[in-house]
Amino acid sequence: MCWTAKSFIRGLSYSVKYCSKDNHLQKIHLYSKLKPKKCHILDWSGSTCNSTVPPGSILPWRFFSCKQEGTEIPCKIKKIASITTPELLYKDLLKSEQKNWNEISGRYKAMAKRIKKKIEELHKKYTFSSESPRIKVGESVYFEENGCIFLSKADDVDEGNVRILFSAEDLGFDDAFIQRIRISPDQRYMATSLKSENSEEATCVVMKLGDFPVVEKVIPNVFSFEWVSNDVLYYTSQKNLKCQDVFMTTFTKQKHTELVYTEQDARFFVDIYCTKDRRFLTINSNSKTTSEVWLVDCRHPFKSPVLVQARTKGVIYHIEHRNDELYILTTYGEPAEYKLMKAPNAGHLYLNVISFVSHSVQSIKLPAWACAFELESHPEHTTSTCYFQLTSPVHPPKRFAYSFKENNLIEQAVQEVPIITNCHTTRLLAKSKDETLVPITVFHNTNSKELHRKPLLVHVYGAYGMDLNMSFKEEKLLLIEEGWILAYCHVRGGGELGHSWHKDGCQHNKLKGLDDLKACIILLHELGFSQPKYTALAAASAGGVLAGALCNSNPELIRAMVLQAPFIDVLNTMMKTHLPLTIEEQEEWGNPLADEKCMKYIKSYCPYHNIKPQCYPSVFITAYENDQRIPLTGVLRYVQKLRKAALDHAGRTKKKGNWIPNIILDIQANGSHCDSSWEDSLNEVARQLAFLKKELEDV
């Protein structure tokens, strides 16, 4: 059965994409939902011809009506002898429509003339002359008129005391208009985009200002651009109506341009924008229904962008910044309309002081590097000051005081402990398997270059509702000084985000913690923090469950693993009720003796029970001979089984240079699960670091 012209037209779908007037992007696409198929085209003589129709092609159907002396009769259609190429079909259709319009347009001329005159009268009546937008930077004002950019002092604009900085016509852009102007903070450079009416792409021209402005750089195919600092410009590149790459170009003595962000999903369009306080550059990646924003700190333009919140399907959000707080316009939550929310910069530690008198809450922002808080003593109810210490894994304890009366923070200089200034702290959010956002705290040396080649040590715990230990350790600072990256993954099962965070990662939810850990490591690698062959995983005690589980499920993500007194034989341990903690810890792990489903679930993630022949990372385990919490027998069985599985895999593959991991167990006669002497602890740490350096730095 042949398609008719009407059925073909009904099969067409129209899509309109509209962008704001400011960026001059207005486009309409016409496309066909009809799939290519063999069809029979029936001409008016009744004969048929066969043709394969390419998708989106416009067939030369002619089914118009012409009025003739008050009656409607079908237009005469010429017989279609054959179909050649889509281009010829398009030209034939275009000529036919032009001819048809020429024949009927005369009847509309008089009416169109009258309407045009009325519109012109209304335009004169209601349209007021308006000046072009003016950009004020300090005491200077920049503005555009008739394809030229002018500079004037703020007080002299109306006096006509202006000078010309730029002329589109003089630079050979005769048919272009000025689309956007951006001035560098110190007013040494000006970037402007030029766009013709017949093109979607714009050209960015960077001028070095001064007594005699000169062209410094011309960048083709630019969509948006912003000055991040005095001599660093970020811009997006547009190709085939798509904008997915963000570049940084510098105008220092050593000029260079590099790619800083790429959007891999073709559904997303990327543009950039500086917050109104110029504190951050926002990299905005938006689809029609979902968005994601990355921030570049304008004070540190060469640092990697930081993710605000990973994209969640159906959630759109936009970012502004003011007074160290992010203002978020988002569709998140119910009702599904835009809402304005406010949030402190991600990951910052706050001191909340609650008054029992006024019932008010005072929130004091603590230093950005702070990760742990410890109250020195319990203040008396009559005191006006409380004292506490702040620390991080790489920052020694620093003493502070809070004044209740003055509501301010006082740094105590008694100890004169230097604050580490060459370490950068980054907070990230990784999207887990079930879309849950998992916090990560990352430390690295500010002077480090090529972070993707640096060793990365990932820490995890995720049990008992306890926070991951973020107190100061000398060995962590040592690693930072030697160029290592430290990452702390605050997975479910821990207590970082409250009671529900623990509940969502214990008993029948333990695998969620494993999903969280996997998502964190993948995100770190995706963002350029090291790569699998330079990555190690560290855990202690119950943290060994998730570390060991990841070692079984995704060994390709890490090169080495360091475990201290690890809990790695969960099922066998929880089956032995005579052990001192088994009954007590059933609320954390479940009771496999009373519940068969629980037994199967524990067995599905238990590190010992899931060892199999495969390519494992190297493993260094420190265990204690008299550990009452973690039976040494379980650790011994684990090491033997793991070593055998690694060797079995190496023997089966028999490839030249096949990787055989080092499986090392360091059993300490002294020390205990919770505490060791300073000397013993120092020796243990030294051996662990020696192992890590050998495994990661000698790759």
Side-chain angles (χ1 to χ4, degrees):
M1 180 177 179
C2 280
W3 294 341
T4 64
K6 287 184 177 179
S7 66
F8 173 76
I9 293 173
R10 290 192 188 104
L12 291 175
S13 173
Y14 295 83
S15 173
V16 177
K17 177 179 180 182
Y18 175 78
C19 292
S20 68
K21 185 177 179 182
D22 293 337
N23 57 35
H24 301 279
L25 268 185
Q26 298 175 347
K27 53 188 177 187
I28 298 176
H29 298 296
L30 174 66
Y31 60 90
S32 173
K33 288 184 177 177
L34 299 176
K35 296 180 179 179
K37 60 173 70 177
K38 274 285 193 182
C39 67
H40 299 285
I41 301 176
L42 181 66
D43 67 9
W44 291 110
S45 65
S47 62
T48 64
C49 60
N50 296 330
S51 172
T52 300
V53 185
S57 298
I58 301 177
L59 295 179
W61 306 107
R62 293 173 173 80
F63 200 72
F64 306 107
S65 294
C66 301
K67 286 189 177 181
Q68 186 174 359
E69 297 180 358
T71 62
E72 290 192 3
I73 60 173
C75 288
K76 201 168 184 179
I77 307 299
K78 292 183 179 180
K79 177 179 178 180
I80 302 174
S82 63
I83 295 179
T84 53
T85 65
E87 183 178 358
L88 290 176
L89 291 177
Y90 168 77
K91 290 181 178 180
D92 288 344
L93 180 59
L94 180 61
K95 289 179 181 178
S96 175
E97 293 304 315
Q98 289 172 337
K99 181 180 179 182
N100 185 67
W101 170 248
N102 290 335
E103 291 175 353
I104 66 173
S105 61
R107 69 186 70 169
Y108 303 110
K109 283 186 178 180
M111 178 66 75
K113 187 176 181 180
R114 291 195 297 271
I115 293 173
K116 179 181 177 181
K117 185 177 180 181
K118 289 183 178 180
I119 292 175
E120 288 176 341
E121 291 173 354
L122 291 172
H123 179 76
K124 291 178 181 179
K125 183 176 181 180
Y126 294 108
T127 301
F128 301 93
S129 60
S130 59
E131 297 178 345
S132 61
R134 298 183 177 188
I135 302 172
K136 186 176 180 181
V137 183
E139 297 299 319
S140 301
V141 175
Y142 300 81
F143 60 95
E144 179 268 337
E145 286 183 7
N146 300 321
C148 297
I149 299 176
F150 298 90
L151 168 64
S152 174
K153 294 296 182 183
D155 298 334
D156 296 338
V157 175
D158 296 330
E159 303 297 328
N161 186 15
V162 299
R163 72 185 184 99
I164 187 169
L165 299 176
F166 174 89
S167 169
E169 184 176 354
D170 290 347
L171 290 180
F173 295 93
D174 298 335
D175 62 342
F177 59 88
I178 295 173
Q179 186 183 38
R180 173 184 288 194
I181 302 171
R182 293 292 185 268
I183 309 298
S184 66
D186 62 359
Q187 301 186 65
R188 285 194 300 139
Y189 294 97
M190 175 181 70
T192 182
S193 56
L194 300 167
K195 183 177 176 296
S196 69
E197 294 181 354
N198 299 321
S199 174
E200 292 282 2
E201 287 77 25
T203 299
C204 178
V205 178
V206 179
M207 304 282 295
K208 187 172 184 180
L209 303 179
D211 294 336
F212 302 98
V214 295
V215 175
E216 190 79 7
K217 190 179 185 71
V218 177
I219 312 172
N221 303 325
V222 171
F223 179 74
S224 56
F225 53 93
E226 296 283 353
W227 291 101
V228 178
S229 65
N230 292 333
D231 45 25
V232 178
L233 181 76
Y234 275 64
Y235 66 90
T236 58
S237 178
Q238 182 177 355
K239 296 179 182 178
N240 298 324
L241 305 180
K242 294 293 294 179
C243 195
Q244 295 183 295
D245 294 330
V246 179
F247 292 88
M248 175 186 70
T249 186
T250 65
F251 294 88
T252 56
K253 291 182 179 179
Q254 295 180 341
K255 299 182 172 112
H256 76 284
T257 300
E258 65 180 71
L259 178 68
V260 296
Y261 176 87
T262 295
E263 173 56 62
Q264 302 292 345
D265 194 328
R267 298 171 301 168
F268 287 76
F269 188 95
V270 178
D271 69 351
I272 59 176
Y273 177 74
C274 269
T275 57
K276 289 182 172 59
D277 61 359
R278 297 197 62 83
R279 178 67 172 76
F280 293 102
L281 173 86
T282 64
I283 299 176
N284 312 288
S285 186
N286 305 297
S287 74
K288 295 294 188 295
T289 60
T290 305
S291 64
E292 184 174 83
V293 180
W294 296 72
L295 298 181
V296 175
D297 190 338
C298 291
R299 297 176 304 181
H300 306 285
F302 299 104
K303 290 184 178 179
S304 300
V306 176
L307 178 64
V308 175
Q309 177 175 305
R311 63 189 58 159
T312 301
K313 186 177 180 181
V315 175
I316 299 173
Y317 71 98
H318 309 282
I319 296 295
E320 257 299 340
H321 181 267
R322 179 178 180 271
N323 293 339
D324 289 328
E325 291 182 315
L326 295 178
Y327 287 80
I328 307 168
L329 186 66
T330 178
T331 60
Y332 176 77
E334 295 296 336
E337 298 293 342
Y338 277 104
K339 310 163 193 68
L340 183 62
M341 299 182 176
K342 184 175 74 170
N345 287 343
H348 281 172
L349 196 63
Y350 281 77
L351 172 65
N352 292 324
V353 181
I354 304 173
S355 171
F356 291 130
V357 178
S358 64
H359 303 289
S360 63
V361 179
Q362 297 289 347
S363 187
I364 306 299
K365 182 182 176 182
L366 301 177
W369 52 265
C371 294
F373 172 97
E374 183 177 352
L375 196 63
E376 285 191 354
S377 61
H378 296 287
E380 298 292 332
H381 71 281
T382 57
T383 188
S384 61
T385 306
C386 72
Y387 298 91
F388 55 89
Q389 290 185 351
L390 298 178
T391 184
S392 87
V394 296
H395 292 86
K398 183 70 176 176
R399 195 166 187 254
F400 287 83
Y402 172 77
S403 170
F404 293 102
K405 289 183 178 180
E406 299 179 7
N407 186 33
N408 64 354
L409 203 63
I410 305 167
E411 182 176 334
Q412 301 292 294
V414 178
Q415 296 167 288
E416 296 187 357
V417 177
I419 294 297
I420 308 304
T421 58
N422 64 340
C423 182
H424 181 66
T425 306
T426 302
R427 270 92 178 190
L428 303 173
L429 290 172
K431 185 163 62 176
S432 193
K433 184 178 180 180
D434 63 356
E435 306 288 321
T436 298
L437 298 177
V438 183
I440 314 171
T441 306
V442 184
F443 302 94
H444 67 84
N445 195 303
T446 55
N447 299 321
S448 291
K449 298 180 180 179
E450 295 187 323
L451 290 175
H452 67 287
R453 297 181 180 274
K454 299 297 182 181
L456 166 65
L457 184 57
V458 179
H459 302 74
V460 68
Y461 187 69
Y464 304 117
M466 295 176 61
D467 293 1
L468 185 57
N469 187 354
M470 299 284 283
S471 61
F472 175 70
K473 298 291 183 183
E474 290 85 355
E475 62 268 24
K476 308 303 182 186
L477 179 56
L478 173 64
L479 291 176
I480 289 294
E481 291 177 346
E482 294 185 355
W484 283 53
I485 306 167
L486 305 180
Y488 291 77
C489 303
H490 308 286
V491 304
R492 279 174 286 186
E496 287 87 346
L497 296 182
H499 176 70
S500 60
W501 196 247
H502 169 226
K503 187 177 179 180
D504 210 22
C506 70
Q507 291 193 3
H508 61 281
N509 290 322
K510 272 295 171 186
L511 283 172
K512 291 183 179 180
L514 177 60
D515 293 335
D516 293 353
L517 177 59
K518 178 182 176 181
C520 289
I521 297 176
I522 290 175
L523 178 64
L524 288 166
H525 291 161
E526 288 179 347
L527 296 181
F529 292 108
S530 193
Q531 50 189 299
K533 66 179 180 179
Y534 301 126
T535 299
L537 182 58
S541 191
V545 176
L546 296 182
L550 182 90
C551 193
N552 288 326
S553 64
N554 297 94
E556 74 282 355
L557 292 179
I558 58 176
R559 170 81 177 195
M561 181 167 67
V562 173
L563 303 177
Q564 186 159 6
F567 188 29
I568 42 183
D569 190 2
V570 186
L571 184 57
N572 286 329
T573 303
M574 295 306 296
M575 297 279 282
K576 297 175 181 177
T577 56
H578 67 278
L579 294 175
L581 298 178
T582 298
I583 302 299
E584 179 183 332
E585 297 199 349
Q586 286 175 353
E587 292 183 348
E588 178 71 21
W589 311 99
N591 184 358
L593 293 173
D595 187 345
E596 186 177 353
K597 288 184 178 179
C598 177
M599 179 184 292
K600 291 181 178 178
Y601 188 75
I602 293 176
K603 191 175 182 179
S604 71
Y605 67 78
C606 176
Y608 173 76
H609 282 86
N610 289 279
I611 294 173
K612 57 189 175 184
Q614 61 178 342
C615 184
Y616 275 99
S618 290
V619 179
F620 187 101
I621 299 177
T622 300
Y624 301 98
E625 193 172 340
N626 299 313
D627 194 333
Q628 292 180 289
R629 295 175 179 269
I630 305 296
L632 184 59
T633 53
V635 178
L636 290 168
R637 286 199 303 266
Y638 174 82
V639 170
Q640 291 172 359
K641 188 176 181 180
L642 184 65
R643 190 178 290 128
K644 183 178 183 302
L647 292 174
D648 286 348
H649 172 74
R652 291 177 187 178
T653 54
K654 294 181 179 179
K655 293 181 180 178
K656 185 177 180 181
N658 194 31
W659 162 253
I660 300 178
N662 294 302
I663 311 296
I664 301 172
L665 175 59
D666 179 18
I667 302 176
Q668 296 294 303
N670 299 321
S672 67
H673 185 88
C674 296
D675 196 14
S676 297
S677 67
W678 163 250
E679 188 65 30
D680 289 339
S681 176
L682 180 60
N683 291 331
E684 291 170 14
V685 168
R687 288 191 290 268
Q688 292 166 1
L689 292 187
F691 168 80
L692 290 173
K693 286 176 170 290
K694 185 67 176 177
E695 294 294 329
L696 302 188
E697 294 183 352
D698 295 345
V699 176

